[in-house]
Amino acid sequence: MIIHFWGTRGSIPTPLSPEQIQSKIIAAIERISPKDIETQDARMRFVASLPPWLFGTVGGNSPCVGISFQNGAKFILDAGSGLRELGLHDSPPKNLRYTMFFSHFHWDHMQGIPFFNPAYNPKAHIDVYSAFPAAETILSRQNACPYFPVNARWENMKSHFTFHLVHNGETFFVDDIKVSVKKMGHPGNSYSYSFEEDGKKFIYATDVELVEKDFDRTVEENFFFENADVLVLDSQYNADELSRKKGWGHNIFSRAVDFANTWHAKKLYLFHHEPTYNDQKIYTILQAARWYKDSCENQGMEIYLAVEGQEVEL
């Protein structure tokens, strides 16, 4: 199983601004010493020594995650603006049959559909799985005029889509992959998905505001989260942001760490990054999460940022 992050920002796409790029360049230049530019090898070592927030970026596309399985199946989780990148750069699935799972239909999780090139390919087909009976109606409204031109209207692409309704607590198989669904706390509802192949378990849990009952190990349905090899979890806010946005449906990083510890996750990936945070601030949150984890019981758990373009192999 290979997990590829095509979009990891929450709420709205957030490209780097010219000022942010300039700040990165200035910060890098300020770190250079004469010995760092003496030879090509020295220059390469210097570049490699730069912190990740300076050398790269967590990315600006809204949520989209791809999964490639050992049996050849390929799934797409949510259809934010990262879906455009997937359509351009990912290898197509067998028979050009795409499989999409939607956590919910807030715009940052569906806005990539009109820009997904395979949706206009007459040879391609897209199976959509969601827990929302109105899924097709929702997508059709997004592609209506005057929001998009005539050639992008839903009427011109709907024949390429088949919709499948799933239910909270349900477990089923798609292309021989075990899939489970769990309803989470988020305005308008959001659903987490578990995917299992060859004894490996991956959980995608975006747009969730965890509450005390989610940590309750006496509640059978909560064991959906038990023993994930990789848990991708909404960790959008720091403490200041959370205090102003209680009830908005997102987490502080420390609560995400506590939750992952409670359910014995092996690896936690912080996801759905706040659009107003720059790369340096997001990497500061990662460091804070790791320090916080070191004070917890499950110190063996590994914590990472979900970064656009990154691949995780299970």
Side-chain angles (χ1 to χ4, degrees):
M1 189 188 311
I2 297 176
I3 302 149
H4 188 112
F5 294 108
W6 295 97
T8 63
R9 284 278 181 173
S11 304
I12 190 170
T14 313
L16 286 173
S17 68
E19 292 78 13
Q20 288 173 325
I21 295 173
Q22 291 164 12
S23 294
K24 285 176 180 281
I25 294 172
I26 292 170
I29 291 173
E30 289 174 342
R31 293 166 180 258
I32 297 176
S33 67
K35 67 178 182 179
D36 292 324
I37 57 175
E38 290 176 345
T39 66
Q40 178 66 18
D41 285 345
R43 291 190 288 271
M44 294 299 293
R45 286 195 298 272
F46 169 75
V47 170
S49 72
L50 292 173
W53 65 265
L54 188 54
F55 182 60
T57 177
V58 300
N61 278 304
S62 57
C64 181
V65 178
I67 317 176
S68 300
F69 296 94
Q70 291 183 16
N71 69 0
K74 302 187 79 167
F75 294 169
I76 299 170
L77 314 181
D78 281 332
S81 62
L83 181 64
R84 176 182 176 274
E85 297 298 314
L86 184 154
L88 290 173
H89 302 298
D90 194 27
S91 58
K94 56 186 177 181
N95 303 324
L96 291 179
R97 195 169 190 102
Y98 292 83
T99 303
M100 283 187 186
F101 293 84
F102 279 88
S103 61
H104 64 311
F105 287 98
H106 286 165
W107 197 33
D108 54 325
H109 294 258
M110 59 182 274
Q111 63 192 159
I113 290 287
F115 306 97
F116 185 46
N117 286 345
Y120 302 95
N121 184 343
K123 296 181 180 179
H125 193 83
I126 302 168
D127 285 294
V128 172
Y129 290 82
S130 87
F132 294 84
E136 181 172 4
T137 300
I138 294 167
L139 291 183
S140 70
R141 289 172 178 169
Q142 177 182 222
N143 281 57
C145 291
Y147 309 116
F148 286 94
V150 173
N151 65 324
R153 290 175 61 188
W154 183 249
E155 288 76 9
N156 295 333
M157 61 196 313
K158 67 179 183 179
S159 63
H160 303 162
F161 288 77
T162 300
F163 290 83
H164 307 268
L165 184 64
V166 302
H167 301 90
N168 180 41
E170 182 179 7
T171 295
F172 53 96
F173 286 83
V174 178
D175 292 337
D176 297 323
I177 303 301
K178 184 179 178 181
V179 184
S180 299
V181 186
K182 188 178 188 306
K183 184 179 178 180
M184 306 301 296
H186 187 73
N189 296 328
S190 181
Y191 292 80
S192 295
Y193 291 93
S194 168
F195 303 91
E196 297 182 48
E197 182 189 43
D198 293 339
K200 298 293 185 179
K201 182 177 180 180
F202 166 58
I203 295 178
Y204 177 70
T206 186
D207 290 65
V208 51
E209 185 168 359
L210 296 167
V211 295
E212 288 305 313
K213 68 178 182 180
D214 296 315
F215 295 78
D216 190 344
R217 293 186 62 85
T218 68
V219 178
E220 183 177 355
E221 67 179 30
N222 286 343
F223 280 84
F224 170 94
F225 287 101
E226 181 80 346
N227 294 325
D229 293 280
V230 170
L231 170 60
V232 170
L233 182 59
D234 184 321
S235 312
Q236 184 163 339
Y237 298 143
N238 62 16
D240 291 340
E241 199 78 30
L242 183 66
S243 66
R244 296 192 300 270
K245 296 182 177 179
K246 183 176 177 58
W248 285 38
H250 303 288
N251 283 316
I252 184 175
F253 68 87
S254 56
R255 186 177 295 168
V257 172
D258 286 338
F259 184 77
N261 269 326
T262 296
W263 297 107
H264 305 125
K266 297 178 179 66
K267 294 181 180 180
L268 169 65
Y269 281 79
L270 309 181
F271 188 72
H272 206 268
H273 308 307
E274 166 62 32
T276 63
Y277 295 173
N278 62 23
D279 289 310
Q280 185 176 14
K281 187 167 184 176
I282 293 172
Y283 273 97
T284 299
I285 288 174
L286 171 63
Q287 185 59 65
R290 287 174 170 171
W291 286 335
Y292 180 75
K293 183 266 297 184
D294 288 342
S295 69
C296 301
E297 293 182 3
N298 183 12
Q299 295 186 12
M301 182 179 69
E302 300 173 15
I303 304 178
Y304 303 94
L305 286 180
V307 173
E308 192 172 315
Q310 178 184 26
E311 285 192 342
V312 180
E313 185 170 358
L314 283 181

